[in-house]
Amino acid sequence: MESIQSIKQRFEIIGQDPKLNRALEKAMQVAITDISVLVTGESGVGKEAIPKIIHSLSHRKHAKYIAVNCGAIPEGTIDSELFGHEKGAFTGATQTRSGYFEVADGGTIFLDEVGELPLTTQVRLLRVLENGEFLKVGSSQVQKTDVRIVAATNVNMFEAIKKERFREDLYYRLSTVEINIPPLRERQGDVHLLFRKFASDFSQKYKMPTIRLDEQAVSLLNKYRWPGNIRQLRNIAEQISVLEENRSITAATLSGYLPNNTSTNLPAVVSNTKAESDFSNEREILYKVLFDMKGDLNDLKKLTMELLKNNDSQKVQKDNENLIRKIYGNDDEEDIDLDQDSQEETNLNVLHLPEPKEDHILTSDAYEDKYHFAEEIEEEETLSLQEKEVELIKKSLERNRGKRKAAAAELGISERTLYRKIKQYDL
Ligand SMILES: Nc1ncnc2c1ncn2[C@@H]1O[C@H](COP(=O)(O)OP(=O)(O)OP(=O)(O)O)[C@@H](O)[C@H]1O
Ligand SMILES: [Mg+2]
C-alpha cells in the first residue's frame, strides 16, 4: 500500500497530527472495498480530499469520479441531475438525459453536503445503495448501476434525523464507515505548519517576501479557536501576505486579523458579565445563526428562481415542500397557506408565506464573510445593522487612511461594493 506520506504529497495535505493521520489511514484502508463512507467534520477541515483519495486508490480509479454538491442543486432538479430523466418527464425535458448515477457506472460519486438532500431523493438514493437500482424521472424502467458512494456532511446528522429531515436508514447505509476529520483547534501542532505553507504559497503568488510570525504571534495562532478551520487559516495567511508591509508579523498585528479580537471589526454580541469561555460559546451560537440565515437566504433564492421559471405556484409548492418546510418550519402558526381558495382570492401566482421574522433580515455585504465578526457590542446594543455597517466602513477607511482597496479587503467586500456603499451612505 502507498505510504501515508506519499498520499499527503499527492493530495497536498499538510499536517502530522495523529488524528489526521488516522483519518487518512482509514481512507486508504477502505479504498479497495466498495463500502460506503461518510466523511464528517466541521466546515473547512479538509473533507473534500478524502473521497478523492478513496477513488484514486480503488479499483474504480480509471472510471469516473463525480462530485455533487447536494446543497447547491435546486430541489426541483436534483432527482433529474442524479438519476436522469425521460423525454417529456416535465416541462422543458425535451430529450432523455442520463444522470450522474448512470454516467458514473463503475466509478465513484461524492455526495457533498448530503444532509441537504430532499427526502424524496433520499428514497431514491437508498434504493441505489441497497441494490444498485434506480429509475429515471418519468420512467418506470428499472436501471442498474455500480457506483461507490462517498458522502460528506458538516451538519449533525443525528439532529437532522431527529427533525425528520434525514432518513435514519439512509444514514446507516451511508455511514458504514465514518471518517471524521478533526477541527484545526484539535490539531495544534499543525497550525503553524499550515500557516507557513500558505504564507510561502502566497509569497510566490503575489511575488512578495514571505511573512514570518514572531514567537508571540505563533503562540496566539495556536491558541485561537479557528471556527472556520483550515479555510479560515488560509484566508488569514493570504490577507496578511497582501496587506502587511512589514513582513515580520507580531502578535498585535496578527490579532487584528483574528475575528475573536476586540481590535477587529464586525460585531459579535457578548455579555460583559460572562467569562471568556462562555463568550466563545455565544460566539459559536452567533456564527450558527448567521450560517443558518445565509442558508435560508440561499434556499429563498432557489425558491424564487423556481417561481420565476415556473408559472404554477401550486406545483412549485408541491415540488419544494421540503425546502419550504425547512425555511418556514413546522409550527402551526407558521404553516404555509396551501389553500387553493385563498390563492385564487388574491389572484396572485405567489406563495402565501408568513412574514419573515425580523431577526432573519441581514443583507449587508459586509456580513458576507462568515468569519469576520469581532467588535464587542453590548447585548442591549440598539444600533441598526445599517448604522453599524456605516460605522464599520468609516472606521475601516480611517484605519486604512482612506485607501479603499485595503479597506475593502479588511471588510471582506469587493472594492466596487465598497465604492457603492460610500456613495449610498454619502461617506
Ligand atoms: N491538511 C490540509 N493541508 C492543506 N490544505 C488543506 C488541508 N485541509 C484542508 N485544506 C484546504 O482547506 C480548504 C478547505 O478544505 P475543504 O474544502 O476540503 O473543506 P470542507 O471540510 O469540505 O469544508 P465544508 O464543509 O465547508 O465544505 C481547501 O482549500 C483545502 O485545500
Ligand atoms: Mg466541502
PDB file of all heavy atoms in Angstrom, residues 12-14 20 42-49 112 154 187 194 198 230-231 234, ligand 1:
ATOM      1  N   GLU A  12      -1.626  17.091  -1.613  1.00  0.00           N
ATOM      2  CA  GLU A  12      -1.238  18.376  -0.986  1.00  0.00           C
ATOM      3  C   GLU A  12      -1.869  18.563   0.385  1.00  0.00           C
ATOM      4  O   GLU A  12      -2.480  19.590   0.688  1.00  0.00           O
ATOM      5  CB  GLU A  12      -1.605  19.548  -1.910  1.00  0.00           C
ATOM      6  CG  GLU A  12      -0.849  19.477  -3.218  1.00  0.00           C
ATOM      7  CD  GLU A  12      -1.066  20.689  -4.091  1.00  0.00           C
ATOM      8  OE1 GLU A  12      -2.059  21.401  -3.887  1.00  0.00           O
ATOM      9  OE2 GLU A  12      -0.223  20.925  -4.962  1.00  0.00           O
ATOM     10  N   ILE A  13      -1.739  17.531   1.185  1.00  0.00           N
ATOM     11  CA  ILE A  13      -2.274  17.604   2.545  1.00  0.00           C
ATOM     12  C   ILE A  13      -1.110  17.849   3.496  1.00  0.00           C
ATOM     13  O   ILE A  13      -0.133  17.102   3.510  1.00  0.00           O
ATOM     14  CB  ILE A  13      -2.990  16.289   2.924  1.00  0.00           C
ATOM     15  CG1 ILE A  13      -4.199  16.109   2.003  1.00  0.00           C
ATOM     16  CG2 ILE A  13      -3.395  16.279   4.390  1.00  0.00           C
ATOM     17  CD1 ILE A  13      -4.834  14.760   2.076  1.00  0.00           C
ATOM     18  N   ILE A  14      -1.250  18.925   4.275  1.00  0.00           N
ATOM     19  CA  ILE A  14      -0.187  19.273   5.217  1.00  0.00           C
ATOM     20  C   ILE A  14      -0.637  18.864   6.605  1.00  0.00           C
ATOM     21  O   ILE A  14      -1.810  19.048   6.950  1.00  0.00           O
ATOM     22  CB  ILE A  14       0.059  20.795   5.217  1.00  0.00           C
ATOM     23  CG1 ILE A  14       0.261  21.323   3.794  1.00  0.00           C
ATOM     24  CG2 ILE A  14       1.222  21.196   6.122  1.00  0.00           C
ATOM     25  CD1 ILE A  14       1.510  20.858   3.132  1.00  0.00           C
ATOM     26  N   LEU A  20      -5.363  13.304  12.202  1.00  0.00           N
ATOM     27  CA  LEU A  20      -5.439  13.472  10.748  1.00  0.00           C
ATOM     28  C   LEU A  20      -4.877  12.217  10.074  1.00  0.00           C
ATOM     29  O   LEU A  20      -5.462  11.676   9.134  1.00  0.00           O
ATOM     30  CB  LEU A  20      -4.632  14.705  10.312  1.00  0.00           C
ATOM     31  CG  LEU A  20      -4.485  14.873   8.805  1.00  0.00           C
ATOM     32  CD1 LEU A  20      -5.802  15.289   8.164  1.00  0.00           C
ATOM     33  CD2 LEU A  20      -3.411  15.909   8.470  1.00  0.00           C
ATOM     34  N   GLU A  42     -16.245  19.613  10.847  1.00  0.00           N
ATOM     35  CA  GLU A  42     -16.686  20.996  10.712  1.00  0.00           C
ATOM     36  C   GLU A  42     -16.338  21.568   9.338  1.00  0.00           C
ATOM     37  O   GLU A  42     -15.506  21.007   8.630  1.00  0.00           O
ATOM     38  CB  GLU A  42     -15.974  21.856  11.778  1.00  0.00           C
ATOM     39  CG  GLU A  42     -16.442  21.570  13.174  1.00  0.00           C
ATOM     40  CD  GLU A  42     -15.682  22.402  14.200  1.00  0.00           C
ATOM     41  OE1 GLU A  42     -15.003  23.384  13.826  1.00  0.00           O
ATOM     42  OE2 GLU A  42     -15.768  22.049  15.387  1.00  0.00           O
ATOM     43  N   SER A  43     -16.928  22.702   9.059  1.00  0.00           N
ATOM     44  CA  SER A  43     -16.649  23.370   7.796  1.00  0.00           C
ATOM     45  C   SER A  43     -15.163  23.759   7.713  1.00  0.00           C
ATOM     46  O   SER A  43     -14.603  24.263   8.675  1.00  0.00           O
ATOM     47  CB  SER A  43     -17.519  24.626   7.705  1.00  0.00           C
ATOM     48  OG  SER A  43     -17.336  25.236   6.478  1.00  0.00           O
ATOM     49  N   GLY A  44     -14.565  23.500   6.562  1.00  0.00           N
ATOM     50  CA  GLY A  44     -13.191  23.941   6.326  1.00  0.00           C
ATOM     51  C   GLY A  44     -12.103  23.032   6.865  1.00  0.00           C
ATOM     52  O   GLY A  44     -10.930  23.380   6.841  1.00  0.00           O
ATOM     53  N   VAL A  45     -12.460  21.818   7.323  1.00  0.00           N
ATOM     54  CA  VAL A  45     -11.426  20.946   7.905  1.00  0.00           C
ATOM     55  C   VAL A  45     -10.657  20.140   6.864  1.00  0.00           C
ATOM     56  O   VAL A  45      -9.620  19.552   7.154  1.00  0.00           O
ATOM     57  CB  VAL A  45     -11.994  19.958   8.961  1.00  0.00           C
ATOM     58  CG1 VAL A  45     -12.378  20.663  10.238  1.00  0.00           C
ATOM     59  CG2 VAL A  45     -13.146  19.147   8.399  1.00  0.00           C
ATOM     60  N   GLY A  46     -11.203  20.095   5.639  1.00  0.00           N
ATOM     61  CA  GLY A  46     -10.490  19.340   4.588  1.00  0.00           C
ATOM     62  C   GLY A  46     -11.159  18.025   4.226  1.00  0.00           C
ATOM     63  O   GLY A  46     -10.475  17.060   3.870  1.00  0.00           O
ATOM     64  N   LYS A  47     -12.475  17.999   4.258  1.00  0.00           N
ATOM     65  CA  LYS A  47     -13.185  16.741   3.964  1.00  0.00           C
ATOM     66  C   LYS A  47     -13.071  16.343   2.494  1.00  0.00           C
ATOM     67  O   LYS A  47     -13.118  15.175   2.161  1.00  0.00           O
ATOM     68  CB  LYS A  47     -14.683  16.884   4.320  1.00  0.00           C
ATOM     69  CG  LYS A  47     -14.925  17.082   5.808  1.00  0.00           C
ATOM     70  CD  LYS A  47     -16.390  17.080   6.150  1.00  0.00           C
ATOM     71  CE  LYS A  47     -17.143  18.300   5.690  1.00  0.00           C
ATOM     72  NZ  LYS A  47     -16.694  19.557   6.311  1.00  0.00           N
ATOM     73  N   GLU A  48     -12.914  17.355   1.629  1.00  0.00           N
ATOM     74  CA  GLU A  48     -13.012  17.038   0.204  1.00  0.00           C
ATOM     75  C   GLU A  48     -11.874  16.185  -0.345  1.00  0.00           C
ATOM     76  O   GLU A  48     -12.016  15.570  -1.399  1.00  0.00           O
ATOM     77  CB  GLU A  48     -13.176  18.335  -0.610  1.00  0.00           C
ATOM     78  CG  GLU A  48     -14.631  18.724  -0.637  1.00  0.00           C
ATOM     79  CD  GLU A  48     -14.888  20.164  -1.024  1.00  0.00           C
ATOM     80  OE1 GLU A  48     -14.336  20.605  -2.043  1.00  0.00           O
ATOM     81  OE2 GLU A  48     -15.650  20.837  -0.302  1.00  0.00           O
ATOM     82  N   ALA A  49     -10.757  16.125   0.373  1.00  0.00           N
ATOM     83  CA  ALA A  49      -9.642  15.299  -0.113  1.00  0.00           C
ATOM     84  C   ALA A  49      -9.953  13.806   0.057  1.00  0.00           C
ATOM     85  O   ALA A  49      -9.466  12.970  -0.717  1.00  0.00           O
ATOM     86  CB  ALA A  49      -8.371  15.654   0.647  1.00  0.00           C
ATOM     87  N   ASP A 112     -21.455  15.586  -1.640  1.00  0.00           N
ATOM     88  CA  ASP A 112     -21.065  16.573  -0.635  1.00  0.00           C
ATOM     89  C   ASP A 112     -22.320  17.218  -0.058  1.00  0.00           C
ATOM     90  O   ASP A 112     -23.317  17.350  -0.767  1.00  0.00           O
ATOM     91  CB  ASP A 112     -20.178  17.636  -1.293  1.00  0.00           C
ATOM     92  CG  ASP A 112     -19.319  18.363  -0.274  1.00  0.00           C
ATOM     93  OD1 ASP A 112     -19.408  18.030   0.920  1.00  0.00           O
ATOM     94  OD2 ASP A 112     -18.562  19.253  -0.679  1.00  0.00           O
ATOM     95  N   ASN A 154     -21.203  18.512   7.104  1.00  0.00           N
ATOM     96  CA  ASN A 154     -20.677  19.256   8.261  1.00  0.00           C
ATOM     97  C   ASN A 154     -21.814  19.544   9.237  1.00  0.00           C
ATOM     98  O   ASN A 154     -21.663  20.329  10.150  1.00  0.00           O
ATOM     99  CB  ASN A 154     -19.942  20.531   7.844  1.00  0.00           C
ATOM    100  CG  ASN A 154     -20.821  21.489   7.071  1.00  0.00           C
ATOM    101  OD1 ASN A 154     -22.042  21.458   7.188  1.00  0.00           O
ATOM    102  ND2 ASN A 154     -20.207  22.344   6.276  1.00  0.00           N
ATOM    103  N   ARG A 187      -5.734  20.147  16.346  1.00  0.00           N
ATOM    104  CA  ARG A 187      -4.500  19.725  15.670  1.00  0.00           C
ATOM    105  C   ARG A 187      -3.457  20.801  15.873  1.00  0.00           C
ATOM    106  O   ARG A 187      -2.873  21.317  14.912  1.00  0.00           O
ATOM    107  CB  ARG A 187      -4.764  19.581  14.163  1.00  0.00           C
ATOM    108  CG  ARG A 187      -5.721  18.496  13.789  1.00  0.00           C
ATOM    109  CD  ARG A 187      -5.739  18.370  12.261  1.00  0.00           C
ATOM    110  NE  ARG A 187      -7.017  18.665  11.681  1.00  0.00           N
ATOM    111  CZ  ARG A 187      -7.216  18.895  10.393  1.00  0.00           C
ATOM    112  NH1 ARG A 187      -6.201  18.906   9.546  1.00  0.00           N
ATOM    113  NH2 ARG A 187      -8.411  19.135   9.931  1.00  0.00           N
ATOM    114  N   LEU A 194       0.837  24.648   8.746  1.00  0.00           N
ATOM    115  CA  LEU A 194      -0.076  25.041   7.665  1.00  0.00           C
ATOM    116  C   LEU A 194       0.084  26.521   7.323  1.00  0.00           C
ATOM    117  O   LEU A 194       0.112  26.908   6.158  1.00  0.00           O
ATOM    118  CB  LEU A 194      -1.527  24.773   8.085  1.00  0.00           C
ATOM    119  CG  LEU A 194      -1.993  23.326   7.937  1.00  0.00           C
ATOM    120  CD1 LEU A 194      -3.115  23.009   8.906  1.00  0.00           C
ATOM    121  CD2 LEU A 194      -2.429  23.043   6.506  1.00  0.00           C
ATOM    122  N   PHE A 198       1.012  28.088   3.691  1.00  0.00           N
ATOM    123  CA  PHE A 198       0.164  29.043   2.978  1.00  0.00           C
ATOM    124  C   PHE A 198       0.929  30.356   2.741  1.00  0.00           C
ATOM    125  O   PHE A 198       0.844  30.960   1.672  1.00  0.00           O
ATOM    126  CB  PHE A 198      -1.132  29.315   3.740  1.00  0.00           C
ATOM    127  CG  PHE A 198      -2.029  28.106   3.837  1.00  0.00           C
ATOM    128  CD1 PHE A 198      -2.720  27.809   5.004  1.00  0.00           C
ATOM    129  CD2 PHE A 198      -2.195  27.257   2.751  1.00  0.00           C
ATOM    130  CE1 PHE A 198      -3.546  26.693   5.093  1.00  0.00           C
ATOM    131  CE2 PHE A 198      -3.022  26.135   2.822  1.00  0.00           C
ATOM    132  CZ  PHE A 198      -3.699  25.856   3.997  1.00  0.00           C
ATOM    133  N   ILE A 230      -9.226  25.189   8.442  1.00  0.00           N
ATOM    134  CA  ILE A 230      -8.085  25.453   7.555  1.00  0.00           C
ATOM    135  C   ILE A 230      -8.434  26.499   6.489  1.00  0.00           C
ATOM    136  O   ILE A 230      -7.602  27.301   6.087  1.00  0.00           O
ATOM    137  CB  ILE A 230      -7.595  24.136   6.930  1.00  0.00           C
ATOM    138  CG1 ILE A 230      -7.144  23.227   8.073  1.00  0.00           C
ATOM    139  CG2 ILE A 230      -6.474  24.370   5.946  1.00  0.00           C
ATOM    140  CD1 ILE A 230      -6.707  21.867   7.687  1.00  0.00           C
ATOM    141  N   ARG A 231      -9.693  26.519   6.082  1.00  0.00           N
ATOM    142  CA  ARG A 231     -10.095  27.529   5.102  1.00  0.00           C
ATOM    143  C   ARG A 231      -9.860  28.932   5.672  1.00  0.00           C
ATOM    144  O   ARG A 231      -9.339  29.819   5.007  1.00  0.00           O
ATOM    145  CB  ARG A 231     -11.561  27.334   4.732  1.00  0.00           C
ATOM    146  CG  ARG A 231     -12.014  28.262   3.616  1.00  0.00           C
ATOM    147  CD  ARG A 231     -13.460  28.046   3.236  1.00  0.00           C
ATOM    148  NE  ARG A 231     -13.699  26.790   2.576  1.00  0.00           N
ATOM    149  CZ  ARG A 231     -14.538  25.860   3.039  1.00  0.00           C
ATOM    150  NH1 ARG A 231     -15.194  26.063   4.153  1.00  0.00           N
ATOM    151  NH2 ARG A 231     -14.711  24.741   2.378  1.00  0.00           N
ATOM    152  N   ARG A 234      -6.116  29.774   5.944  1.00  0.00           N
ATOM    153  CA  ARG A 234      -5.562  30.149   4.644  1.00  0.00           C
ATOM    154  C   ARG A 234      -5.965  31.563   4.244  1.00  0.00           C
ATOM    155  O   ARG A 234      -5.151  32.341   3.748  1.00  0.00           O
ATOM    156  CB  ARG A 234      -6.003  29.151   3.575  1.00  0.00           C
ATOM    157  CG  ARG A 234      -4.990  29.078   2.463  1.00  0.00           C
ATOM    158  CD  ARG A 234      -5.413  28.175   1.402  1.00  0.00           C
ATOM    159  NE  ARG A 234      -6.674  28.662   0.825  1.00  0.00           N
ATOM    160  CZ  ARG A 234      -7.215  28.170  -0.263  1.00  0.00           C
ATOM    161  NH1 ARG A 234      -6.643  27.169  -0.869  1.00  0.00           N
ATOM    162  NH2 ARG A 234      -8.329  28.647  -0.737  1.00  0.00           N
TER     163      ARG A 234
HETATM  164  N1  LIG B   1      -4.402  19.301   5.642  1.00  0.00           N
HETATM  165  C1  LIG B   1      -4.522  20.259   4.725  1.00  0.00           C
HETATM  166  N2  LIG B   1      -3.434  20.741   4.105  1.00  0.00           N
HETATM  167  C2  LIG B   1      -3.527  21.732   3.205  1.00  0.00           C
HETATM  168  N3  LIG B   1      -4.662  22.302   2.837  1.00  0.00           N
HETATM  169  C3  LIG B   1      -5.779  21.854   3.399  1.00  0.00           C
HETATM  170  C4  LIG B   1      -5.774  20.804   4.369  1.00  0.00           C
HETATM  171  N4  LIG B   1      -7.039  20.570   4.763  1.00  0.00           N
HETATM  172  C5  LIG B   1      -7.801  21.439   4.075  1.00  0.00           C
HETATM  173  N5  LIG B   1      -7.059  22.209   3.277  1.00  0.00           N
HETATM  174  C6  LIG B   1      -7.550  23.278   2.410  1.00  0.00           C
HETATM  175  O1  LIG B   1      -8.561  23.973   3.152  1.00  0.00           O
HETATM  176  C7  LIG B   1      -9.641  24.339   2.308  1.00  0.00           C
HETATM  177  C8  LIG B   1     -10.923  23.781   2.879  1.00  0.00           C
HETATM  178  O2  LIG B   1     -10.953  22.374   2.749  1.00  0.00           O
HETATM  179  P1  LIG B   1     -12.259  21.608   2.208  1.00  0.00           P
HETATM  180  O3  LIG B   1     -12.852  22.354   1.059  1.00  0.00           O
HETATM  181  O4  LIG B   1     -11.923  20.199   1.985  1.00  0.00           O
HETATM  182  O5  LIG B   1     -13.201  21.794   3.474  1.00  0.00           O
HETATM  183  P2  LIG B   1     -14.525  21.018   3.852  1.00  0.00           P
HETATM  184  O6  LIG B   1     -14.232  20.179   5.023  1.00  0.00           O
HETATM  185  O7  LIG B   1     -15.067  20.347   2.625  1.00  0.00           O
HETATM  186  O8  LIG B   1     -15.475  22.213   4.322  1.00  0.00           O
HETATM  187  P3  LIG B   1     -17.039  22.457   4.024  1.00  0.00           P
HETATM  188  O9  LIG B   1     -17.785  21.552   4.971  1.00  0.00           O
HETATM  189  O10 LIG B   1     -17.239  23.909   4.374  1.00  0.00           O
HETATM  190  O11 LIG B   1     -17.286  22.160   2.582  1.00  0.00           O
HETATM  191  C9  LIG B   1      -9.328  23.806   0.932  1.00  0.00           C
HETATM  192  O12 LIG B   1      -8.769  24.844   0.177  1.00  0.00           O
HETATM  193  C10 LIG B   1      -8.289  22.736   1.192  1.00  0.00           C
HETATM  194  O13 LIG B   1      -7.420  22.578   0.109  1.00  0.00           O
END
